[in-house]
Structures are given as structure tokens and as C-alpha cells.
């Protein structure tokens, strides 16, 4: 139970840092600019622009690491 709670908090923290923090703002801006030229960059920008989408991918990654 404690492992699941830690995983949940970790997923939320990583998602917030990637989607909303100023630390990754240059990366998100770069992906937005490149996203107009390439579908792969557009997908990555859309992924980092959506907190729900990002949390699902981060959750899968954390689940593989924890369990």
C-alpha cells in the first residue's frame, strides 16, 4: 500500500514539473516550434501540454520501475 502511495505522489510530482514548471518551459517552446515542421515533435509537444496525457505515460514508466 505504501509503495502505491509513493508511486502516486511521484507520478503527480513528475507530471507537474514537466507540464507546468518554468524549468521545462524552454523544452516545451522548442517542441512547439519544431512541432509545426514534424509530426513527432508535434506529438511530443501535445504530450507535454496535456497533464492527463503526461501522467498516463509517467504512470506506466513508474509502474515498470516499482512493480
Amino acid at each position: 500500500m505504501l509503495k502505491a502511495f509513493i508511486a502516486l505522489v511521484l507520478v503527480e510530482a513528475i507530471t507537474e514539473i514537466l507540464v507546468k514548471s518554468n524549468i521545462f518551459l524552454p523544452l516545451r517552446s522548442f517542441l512547439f516550434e519544431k512541432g509545426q515542421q514534424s509530426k513527432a515533435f508535434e506529438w511530443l509537444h501535445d504530450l507535454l501540454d496535456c497533464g492527463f496525457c503526461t501522467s498516463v505515460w509517467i504512470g506506466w514508466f513508474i509502474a515498470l520501475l516499482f512493480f
Side-chain angles (χ1 to χ4, degrees):
M1 182 70 175
L2 181 61
K3 235 182 187 182
F5 180 74
I6 291 172
L8 179 72
V9 170
L10 190 59
V11 168
E12 177 61 26
I14 292 172
T15 300
E16 289 294 318
I17 289 171
L18 287 174
V19 173
K20 295 183 180 178
S21 75
N22 288 334
I23 296 170
F24 286 96
L25 184 61
L27 175 64
R28 291 191 308 266
S29 298
F30 171 78
L31 290 174
F32 178 72
E33 292 169 10
K34 292 291 183 181
Q36 297 168 349
Q37 303 166 1
S38 168
K39 288 289 185 186
F41 284 114
E42 181 181 5
W43 181 81
L44 284 172
H45 175 263
D46 290 344
L47 177 69
L48 289 177
D49 199 36
C50 172
F52 177 74
C53 305
T54 305
S55 68
V56 170
W57 285 96
I58 297 295
W60 277 108
F61 180 73
I62 296 297
L64 288 174
L65 288 178
F66 266 72
F67 307 106

